Amino acid sequence: MKKIAVYTSGGDAPGMNAAIRAVVRTAHAKNVEIIGILNGYVGMIENKMITLAPRDMANIVQRGGTILKTGRSAEFMKPEYRAIAAENLKKAGIEGLVCIGGDGSFRGAQALLSEHKIPVIGIAGTIDNDVFGTDDTIGFDTAVNTALDAIDKIRDTADSHDRIFIVEVMGRNSGFIASAVGLAGGAEEILTAENVVAVDKIVDKLRESRTKGKSSSILITAEGQKPGRAYDLAEAIRKKSNLDAKVCILGHQQRGGSPTAHDRILASRLGSEAVAALLSGKANLMIGTLGNKIVEVPLDQVTQNEKRGDTTLIQLARILSV
Ligand code: ADP
C-alpha cells in the first residue's frame, strides 16, 4: 500500500488525537502517504479529506477531542451513499482505512469492505468501554478519572452537610464507567443496566448506614436510556423514606479533557499496530488489548457480540463502603 486514510467516527473520546498521531507517524515511518477524512462517514461521503504530515501531529498528543472532527451519518447506513464514499476513496487513491470509533463505526467499515473491498482495521475509541473483544477502549480511563475528580469534590460537600448524593455518570447501555468510578470513589451503591436495585433496598441500606454512624452517602447511577435517571431515583427515595438525596449529573464533561497517560499509551500502541496490520495485508480486524497484550479480533466478532459488564466491582464497592 502507498496511501491509506484515518478517520474518527461516532462519539468522541479523549485519546483519539494520540491515536491519529500514532497512525500518521507510523505510516510516515513506513513511507506510506496518509490522508485524514474529516467528520467520519459524513466527510467520506462529502469528500472532505486532508493530507496529514508528521509535523501536523505536533502538540496534539495531550489534547482531548479529535482534530479530524467526528460525526454520525444516517446517509452512510444506505448502500447508495456508501458507494459515493467508496468512489471518493478510490479517486483519492486510498487503499486502506484505519477507523477509530465504536462498534457502530465498525459496522459501517464492514459494510464498506464487503460492498467495495476497501480494507479496514478498527481501533476502539469510546469512553463507554462497551466494545466486545478488548479489555479497554481509548478514552475510558480519562472519563473515569474525570468523573472521579468530580465525585471527590462532591464528597467534600456531602460530608460537610451530612448529605446523600446521587451522581449520574455517562453510559447508556453500559455500566463500565459507573462501576469503576463507584468503586474508586467509595460509593455505597452503583446502579447500572446489569445491576438494578430496588428502591426499598437502597432506602434500607441508607438507613442502616445512618444507624452505623455514617453521615453522608454517595450513590452512582449510569445514565441509562435517558439522562436524568438520577432525579427519578431521588424522587423514589424521597417518597419511600423522606430521605433527601441531592442529584449531580456529570454529563458531557466526561467526554472531554486531556487524556490520561494510560489512554495516550493505549492510543499510541493501537494506532501503530493498526497501521502495521493494514500494511501487512490484514483487514476486517479490530486491534485491541487483552491482559495488556495487543490482540487482533475479527470485526465480525466485535460487532456481533455484546460486551457484558461484570458486577464484581459493584459487589466489592458494597463491601468496602460500610
Ligand atoms: P459508535 O461508533 O461510537 O458506536 P454510532 O453507533 O453512532 O457510533 O455509529 C457511527 C456511524 O457509523 C453512524 O452514524 C453511521 O454512519 C455508521 N454506522 C453505524 N452502524 C452502521 C451500519 N449497520 N451500517 C452502516 N453504517 C453504520
Side-chain angles (χ1 to χ4, degrees), residues 37-117:
I37 301 166
L38 304 178
N39 302 98
Y41 295 121
V42 176
M44 213 180 271
I45 294 169
E46 295 175 4
N47 208 10
K48 289 180 3 196
M49 301 184 195
I50 53 172
T51 303
L52 296 173
R55 279 291 96 219
D56 297 333
M57 301 296 105
N59 223 4
I60 66 164
V61 73
Q62 81 283 14
R63 278 171 57 193
T66 157
I67 58 158
L68 292 178
K69 314 274 181 179
T70 184
R72 293 196 166 92
S73 168
E75 289 180 334
F76 198 79
M77 308 289 275
K78 300 176 191 156
E80 60 270 33
Y81 284 96
R82 291 198 290 270
I84 295 171
E87 193 53 35
N88 289 337
L89 295 173
K90 283 179 185 163
K91 267 195 216 143
I94 293 162
E95 298 166 272
L97 295 171
V98 176
C99 168
I100 307 171
D103 56 357
S105 302
F106 295 163
R107 276 191 200 95
Q110 279 182 300
L112 208 54
L113 176 63
S114 70
E115 293 163 8
H116 302 284
K117 312 284 169 275

Side-chain angles (χ1 to χ4, degrees), residues 298-319:
L299 279 181
D300 298 348
Q301 261 186 43
V302 177
T303 54
Q304 283 165 21
N305 290 285
E306 203 181 322
K307 184 173 178 183
R308 302 283 303 156
D310 99 54
T311 52
T312 323
L313 298 188
I314 298 179
Q315 284 154 19
L316 183 56
R318 260 188 220 132
I319 295 168

Side-chain angles (χ1 to χ4, degrees), residues 189-248:
E189 191 53 81
I190 302 162
L191 296 117
T192 66
E194 295 91 19
N195 187 52
V196 180
V197 186
V199 176
D200 285 337
K201 277 202 162 172
I202 296 172
V203 166
D204 288 349
K205 179 147 195 202
L206 291 170
R207 283 192 174 131
E208 194 190 325
S209 295
R210 261 138 199 78
T211 59
K212 283 183 183 162
K214 200 167 179 169
S215 61
S216 66
S217 300
I218 302 233
L219 311 174
I220 303 290
T221 172
E223 67 186 347
Q225 280 313 309
K226 73 173 173 64
R229 188 181 171 198
Y231 284 110
D232 299 340
L233 181 60
E235 186 55 27
I237 291 174
R238 207 167 291 127
K239 275 195 182 141
K240 292 260 176 199
S241 65
N242 280 332
L243 285 170
D244 182 36
K246 300 284 176 205
V247 168
C248 180

